[in-house]
Amino acid sequence: MGKLVLLHLLCGILVFWSVSVVNAEDDYKYFTWTATYGMASPLGVPQQVILINGQFPGPRLDLVTNNNVILILINKLDEPLLLTWNGIKQRKNSWQDGVLGTNCPIPPNSNYTYKFQAKDQIGSYTYFPSTQLHRAVGGFGALNVYARSVIPVPYANPDGDFSLLIGDWYKTSHKALQQILDSGKSLPFPDSLLINGLKQRSRLFTAFQRKTYMFRISNVGLKNTINFRIQGHKMKLVEVEGSHVIQNLYDSFDVHVGQSLSILVTLDQSPKDYYIVASTRFTTTVLTTTAVLHYTNSQTPTSGPLPAGPADQFQWSLMQARTFRWNLTSNAARPNPQGSFHYGKITPSRTIVLANSAPLISGKQRYAVNSVSYVNADTPLKLADHFNIPGVFSLNSIQTVPNAAASPSLATSVLPASLHEFLEIVFQNNEDTMQSWHLDGYDFWVIGFGSGTWSQDSRKEYNLVDALTRHTTQVYPKSWTAIYVSLDNQGMWNLRSSMWDRQYLGQQVYLRVYNPTPSLANEYDIPTNALLCGKAAGRHP
């Protein structure tokens, strides 16, 4: 009997200790960021950029799974501003998503306090300005979510951790680029690529021979796929936007606009300096930029030709994408609901097919989804929904399948959906250009890529076992990409092109995930500090 009491006592202590550890790690992180204009020389000559706390790119935001973030953003620009947290799911909290469909932008010389949690996530993400074309001149940075001590990850702790922000770049100011788009023209070809804010940089990363390092790579550019490689080194893929993956070795990676991935690199070569290379893909003119990986015991500068990128175009990229597979044995954070890693055994409630296009409307270049080109309302959709304000958006403004006979039109397009639906969404790309699609608030399973027009027979090509989850997927020219998504996160969520010129000119919609019964178990209430604008101005949160 005494032994039984002692056993119960020990179990109670263990449970108390475990809960204490968990609660201790759900702590709060406080930040104050100020956005200003400043001068930098990404291409060797001074130009105006957006700084966060005086930094370009912005400060790296390092969090641990389930950290609560309290971040005051002070806007010292001459235009309204929002930051969005690309890939952070904002569980029950689209109020903090930082896009124009959910938030009023922060006026100049004002501030807003973001309050969100990195709930059940581990991985490499980014943040960037979602307003106007601010993203074209900075304001972006790395956002890394590390595993809690009680959650093992499927690799040994690396000896160092580096973030690489790669992307295309213009010498032209964001206001001039915006005027080009507003005039009905497409953006010109970019001037260069940058790695962490510079075209060329010596000794960007210094590391010890025979040690293993994590490189977190994100494409923060406006419109171009980028191939990434490191001279003389193999790269082991371990994580893609929150998914731990089968750990294959690669010579290079295609990273599409808005995407992130994490690799492990062992410094197993002779001690010298090696090129880190990024170059555009699928472009007639290939832009290339370099940085340097420096061994601490190196006495030899970089030498030899730059490692070549893939010679093949779309087929090579497609075949690589199909090798990215979910690590089903990893005991890391998974998408909710629990058990949904058996996604292939769930029957979708319905299928939505979204076709992108590039129509002229009133003689001006626009981009559209199912023939509808999105226009921002003066009132955020989330506020209009909360306050029952009519005339801001309509739930029948866009069809769920493309109609070839439909004339291109402008609308504030919103797709209605019910909480806990399980959707099959097909991105149909009939254009001869690469596309990249992102969904806020969720991870989704990328279950299939295929050429031509999607049909029900295309489901034979689906991966229903170990497709990885991510928040941004590419769609190849004249092709389709299919995803499954479990709508377990109530709110108003932006489904958009990650190519920012296309997003700006209308290639986006909002997904209204709704439950008619209000419940704090499904969604948090409007923040008491919510900014109110448009038809919601003057109302009480």
Side-chain angles (χ1 to χ4, degrees):
M1 184 69 179
K3 291 183 178 179
L4 183 60
V5 171
L6 180 60
L7 179 62
H8 285 171
L9 178 61
L10 289 173
C11 289
I13 293 172
L14 180 61
V15 168
F16 174 81
W17 178 83
S18 300
V19 170
S20 298
V21 169
V22 169
N23 289 339
E25 292 194 352
D26 287 355
D27 61 354
Y28 284 77
K29 301 293 184 182
Y30 297 89
F31 306 90
T32 299
W33 286 3
T34 302
T36 60
Y37 290 122
M39 300 304 293
S41 302
L43 304 183
V45 294
Q47 68 178 104
Q48 188 183 69
V49 299
I50 293 176
L51 307 173
I52 303 292
N53 285 1
Q55 299 180 43
F56 170 77
R60 195 172 98 171
L61 185 58
D62 286 339
L63 306 174
V64 173
T65 301
N66 288 0
N67 274 171
N68 295 278
V69 177
I70 310 296
L71 189 147
I72 302 170
L73 179 61
I74 302 169
N75 178 19
K76 291 294 185 179
L77 307 184
D78 59 356
E79 298 177 310
L81 176 70
L82 282 172
L83 292 183
T84 189
W85 317 96
N86 203 47
I88 299 301
K89 288 186 281 189
Q90 305 288 2
R91 298 290 304 168
K92 306 190 295 183
N93 199 18
S94 64
W95 300 107
Q96 305 293 339
D97 199 26
V99 291
L100 290 173
T102 59
N103 296 88
C104 297
I106 307 167
N109 296 312
S110 298
N111 68 82
Y112 175 72
T113 301
Y114 288 93
K115 300 176 183 179
F116 63 89
Q117 186 180 29
K119 178 69 173 172
D120 295 335
Q121 293 186 259
I122 300 169
S124 303
Y125 308 95
T126 59
Y127 63 86
F128 60 83
S130 64
T131 41
Q132 306 297 339
L133 286 189
H134 294 134
R135 175 175 170 177
V137 292
F140 50 73
L143 196 170
N144 301 329
V145 183
Y146 295 88
R148 303 162 74 184
S149 60
V150 295
I151 300 178
V153 293
Y155 49 83
N157 287 332
D159 296 294
D161 191 304
F162 303 120
S163 293
L164 290 88
L165 303 175
I166 59 178
D168 47 26
W169 188 258
Y170 291 84
K171 296 176 183 177
T172 310
S173 73
H174 69 286
K175 292 181 180 180
L177 292 175
Q178 185 175 324
Q179 288 175 354
I180 292 173
L181 294 178
D182 289 341
S183 70
K185 300 176 183 177
S186 299
L187 287 184
F189 191 66
D191 296 298
S192 184
L193 299 183
L194 303 183
I195 299 177
N196 285 5
L198 287 174
K199 181 179 180 181
Q200 290 183 317
R201 190 165 185 173
S202 62
R203 297 193 179 184
L204 181 58
F205 303 105
T206 298
F208 291 91
Q209 191 178 22
R210 291 183 290 276
K211 299 292 187 179
T212 298
Y213 296 85
M214 175 171 283
F215 289 78
R216 301 170 181 271
I217 306 158
S218 298
N219 186 336
V220 295
L222 290 189
K223 59 186 301 180
N224 285 284
T225 295
I226 297 174
N227 183 265
F228 177 87
R229 49 206 185 269
I230 302 176
Q231 184 183 30
H233 291 75
K234 293 285 188 180
M235 300 179 290
K236 180 185 288 186
L237 183 67
V238 295
E239 178 262 335
V240 176
E241 295 164 20
S243 277
H244 287 125
V245 298
I246 301 300
Q247 296 178 10
N248 295 321
L249 292 173
Y250 297 86
D251 294 317
S252 71
F253 292 99
D254 276 355
V255 187
H256 305 278
V257 182
Q259 293 185 343
S260 299
L261 53 84
S262 300
I263 60 174
L264 293 178
V265 179
T266 300
L267 274 61
D268 54 5
Q269 301 300 303
S270 59
K272 62 184 294 288
D273 290 358
Y274 294 88
Y275 286 113
I276 295 173
V277 183
S279 59
T280 55
R281 291 278 277 145
F282 324 128
T283 56
T284 303
T285 301
V286 177
L287 298 176
T288 301
T289 191
T290 62
V292 174
L293 173 60
H294 172 69
Y295 280 44
T296 55
N297 55 343
S298 167
Q299 301 297 322
T300 307
T302 51
S303 61
L306 298 181
D312 186 40
Q313 293 294 299
F314 300 107
Q315 189 61 27
W316 183 95
S317 186
L318 173 61
M319 294 304 293
Q320 180 179 81
R322 286 175 172 162
T323 67
F324 293 0
R325 299 298 182 95
W326 211 10
N327 183 349
L328 298 179
T329 64
S330 172
N331 186 28
R334 294 193 182 276
N336 288 320
Q338 292 298 318
S340 60
F341 53 90
H342 295 301
Y343 67 93
K345 298 180 180 179
I346 303 173
T347 301
S349 53
R350 58 191 171 118
T351 299
I352 296 175
V353 181
L354 301 175
N356 52 269
S357 58
L360 293 178
I361 299 179
S362 299
K364 291 186 176 183
Q365 178 68 68
R366 296 288 300 185
Y367 297 104
V369 184
N370 287 0
S371 300
V372 179
S373 185
Y374 184 90
V375 291
N376 285 303
D378 63 347
T379 307
L381 313 182
K382 186 63 183 170
L383 291 179
D385 213 16
H386 176 77
F387 291 117
N388 296 313
I389 301 173
V392 176
F393 68 90
S394 168
L395 293 177
N396 58 7
S397 53
I398 185 171
Q399 296 182 351
T400 56
V401 294
N403 180 359
S407 298
S409 61
L410 302 174
T412 304
S413 38
V414 178
L415 288 166
S418 297
L419 184 64
H420 299 308
E421 272 197 273
F422 191 82
L423 293 184
E424 175 185 43
I425 300 178
V426 179
F427 299 108
Q428 178 65 51
N429 180 15
N430 298 321
E431 298 181 67
D432 195 21
T433 58
M434 175 64 72
Q435 303 292 321
S436 182
W437 283 92
H438 169 85
L439 175 60
D440 281 348
Y442 291 94
D443 289 337
F444 49 71
W445 290 269
V446 184
I447 54 176
F449 301 97
S451 60
T453 302
W454 180 89
S455 68
Q456 293 191 12
D457 286 341
S458 301
R459 295 188 177 115
K460 297 175 183 177
E461 302 179 45
Y462 285 1
N463 173 6
L464 298 179
V465 178
D466 60 355
L468 80 166
T469 65
R470 64 187 313 169
H471 57 68
T472 303
T473 186
Q474 69 273 27
V475 190
Y476 294 95
K478 303 288 186 180
S479 300
W480 54 266
T481 297
I483 67 171
Y484 280 169
V485 58
S486 177
L487 299 185
D488 63 331
N489 195 11
Q490 186 167 318
M492 186 75 70
W493 303 109
N494 193 210
L495 177 59
R496 62 175 178 264
S497 172
S498 290
M499 297 171 170
W500 215 243
D501 55 341
R502 300 185 75 99
Q503 179 275 156
Y504 180 80
L505 289 182
Q507 193 172 308
Q508 60 174 311
V509 301
Y510 277 81
L511 189 65
R512 179 182 183 253
V513 180
Y514 184 69
N515 185 329
T517 304
S519 170
L520 292 177
N522 294 332
E523 185 175 24
Y524 300 138
D525 204 353
I526 183 172
T528 56
N529 69 326
L531 299 177
L532 302 177
C533 57
K535 296 179 180 179
R539 299 185 181 239
H540 193 278

